[in-house]
Amino acid sequence: MALKLVQPSEPPLAEKVRQRVKRTPKPAAMLECRCGSREFIETKSGVLLKDGKPTGGTKTLICAICLLKGERVVVA
C-alpha cells in the first residue's frame, strides 16, 4: 500500500470573507468579535414591566454570527 499526498482544499467562501474582514483596517473605537464579525444584537435581561412599560434591565451586545452558530458571545 502506497502513501498518497492529497492537495489541500481551498477554505470555504465564508472563511475567506471572514479573513478579509479581519484584515481590513477599522476605527479604534469599532467593536469586533473574536470571530471577526462586526455585527451585533443588543439584548436586555432582567426587564420589569411597570405600568405596561419595560423598565430596568442590563443591556449587552451579542455577536450575531456566533449566535447563529449556537454560541452566546457577549462583546460589551
Side-chain angles (χ1 to χ4, degrees):
M1 188 179 277
L3 179 66
K4 292 184 180 182
L5 294 176
V6 178
Q7 296 295 326
S9 62
E10 282 194 32
L13 181 61
E15 184 61 31
K16 286 182 181 179
V17 171
R18 191 173 300 114
Q19 289 172 359
R20 187 186 74 218
V21 168
K22 284 183 100 168
R23 282 193 310 264
T24 58
K26 66 178 180 75
M30 183 179 284
L31 292 176
E32 184 174 342
C33 181
R34 65 183 183 204
C35 72
S37 171
R38 297 175 185 166
E39 186 174 356
F40 303 100
I41 298 171
E42 184 177 85
T43 62
K44 276 185 157 185
S45 59
V47 177
L48 299 173
L49 280 179
K50 184 176 182 180
D51 297 329
K53 296 181 183 177
T55 59
T58 305
K59 287 184 183 180
T60 57
L61 287 176
I62 297 175
C63 175
I65 303 302
C66 291
L67 189 64
L68 288 173
K69 294 181 197 172
E71 301 175 42
R72 188 177 192 270
V73 179
V74 178
V75 179

